[in-house]
Amino acid sequence: MLLESNRYKNNMLLSNIYWISLARMATIGSQFVSLLVLARLLGPDIYGQMAVISTALAFSMMFIDLGTGAALIQKKIIFKSLYQNVNTLNIYLGITLSIFLAIIALPLSIFVQLNIFWPLIFTAIIPIFSGLSIAPRARLERHSKFRTIFFIDSLATLLSILIAITLAFLNPSVYVLVIQSITSSMVIFAFLIWKSPIPLRWKINKNDFTDIFTFSSNFAIFNFMNFFHRNADTAILGSLSGVNDLGAYNLSYRFVLFPIQNFSIVMQRAAFPHFSRMQDDRAQISQKFTSILYYTAIFSSILMAFVWSLREPIVYTVLGPSWRLVVELLAWMAPLGFLQATNSLTGFLFNSLGRSDLLRRLGQYGIPLIISGMVVGYRINGTIGLAQGYFFITLIWSIILFYCTARILHLKGIYYILRVALIAVFGVILAQIIQYIVKV
């Protein structure tokens, strides 16, 4: 009976990984096709306006659920009233953020000197639909209904792209991209409340939030800090360096971390509800997490070995000699990608065990440390120094994270770290072999 239960859980995890991977590939592929078509029809000036609108929207969306969606997935036992109260809270948050976007529309358009007032006013409706979608989506993810989520997200992406392309042919303007974003959020909302309906109520029962407040508040605080961590390097280069260095850095960063981040997102989303359902079985979680970590480390080491060893011929062949700085940056971004792919997994582990407080405390110390490493690196050796500082400080921080992870899983810290280090050494050797073969 126990064997059958474990086999069912393993199959459920594999099913989660399959459907989330399929969803990521479908989204990335459709967005790539959309970008090629719409970029040709709309032009860079319209995309520049949308970039400012998207930044304002992304900042407001950080506060859309305050960690309540993750809390609904992680909590052991959920009553219907909690879903309703979280849904009501997110409605009020969505309305508040919509009003916020509407208020800043005029000052922001004046500040950036772009005609984005009315586009931003229309975009302000998105937080309302996003807020209404959080609890229904969390309930589906809690029960690993990722196949349903895949079809909903894919349909929303497809419809929004078709509408955007049609409008772009008729009247190319920034409203094409605005309508695309609104359509996607509306379709997702409509199908989520159809497949996972939660009755509306306008009064919030504060007692229902006592159990999830600590978890959700720590989760929200960490995400807020992590937002600045993920954008610190761009802010440093944007204020201290030229646009050429910033462009080269962003290109190399995306080249390395785009596949790594998507792989990590798949693993985290698939494993979070799975691990949360067995959070009291520390031995089984320890076994499964170490397997996920080692497979992730092996995949990342192989991928980064190819990136590191082939960076020069790829950049010079595809982009040309004017992008020489990208070659130098990739030498440090590749090992950084390996570290980020492995240490980012600790986040979902801590959350699934209900230890968002530990994640928040680690973030309070680690994020300022990493940003300081970037600044010091830039002061020493410019843009290359920033990448070097980012790598070395992330290496130190990864060792600390792995040690904390080993402790919480009741494993030997040194043994745990050495296993990951051996996989990293394998990646270094593979990179040298590939580089030798290419030169010969």
Side-chain angles (χ1 to χ4, degrees), residues 381-397:
N381 194 26
T383 303
I384 299 296
L386 186 145
Q388 292 169 335
Y390 197 176
F391 165 72
F392 284 118
I393 208 71
T394 302
L395 175 62
I396 296 170
W397 186 242

Side-chain angles (χ1 to χ4, degrees), residues 319-337:
L319 301 177
S322 61
W323 292 90
R324 177 180 176 81
L325 182 58
V326 174
V327 176
E328 300 178 48
L329 287 169
L330 286 176
W332 298 98
M333 288 293 183
L336 175 64

Side-chain angles (χ1 to χ4, degrees), residues 49-123:
Q49 294 178 51
M50 194 61 195
V52 177
I53 297 171
S54 299
T55 302
L57 181 63
F59 181 78
S60 66
M61 295 296 278
M62 283 197 305
F63 306 96
I64 195 65
D65 73 337
L66 300 179
T68 54
L72 289 176
I73 298 172
Q74 190 275 334
K75 189 171 169 57
K76 293 180 186 178
I77 300 174
I78 295 272
F79 295 103
K80 182 179 179 180
S81 60
L82 182 58
Y83 281 116
Q84 292 176 327
N85 278 294
V86 168
N87 198 36
T88 302
L89 174 65
N90 291 332
I91 291 172
Y92 289 135
L93 285 173
I95 293 172
T96 302
L97 292 171
S98 293
I99 295 172
F100 166 76
L101 286 175
I103 291 173
I104 68 167
L106 182 59
L108 183 61
S109 61
I110 294 173
F111 177 76
V112 298
Q113 298 182 351
L114 293 173
N115 187 21
I116 60 171
F117 173 74
W118 284 112
L120 192 54
I121 291 292
F122 287 118
T123 306

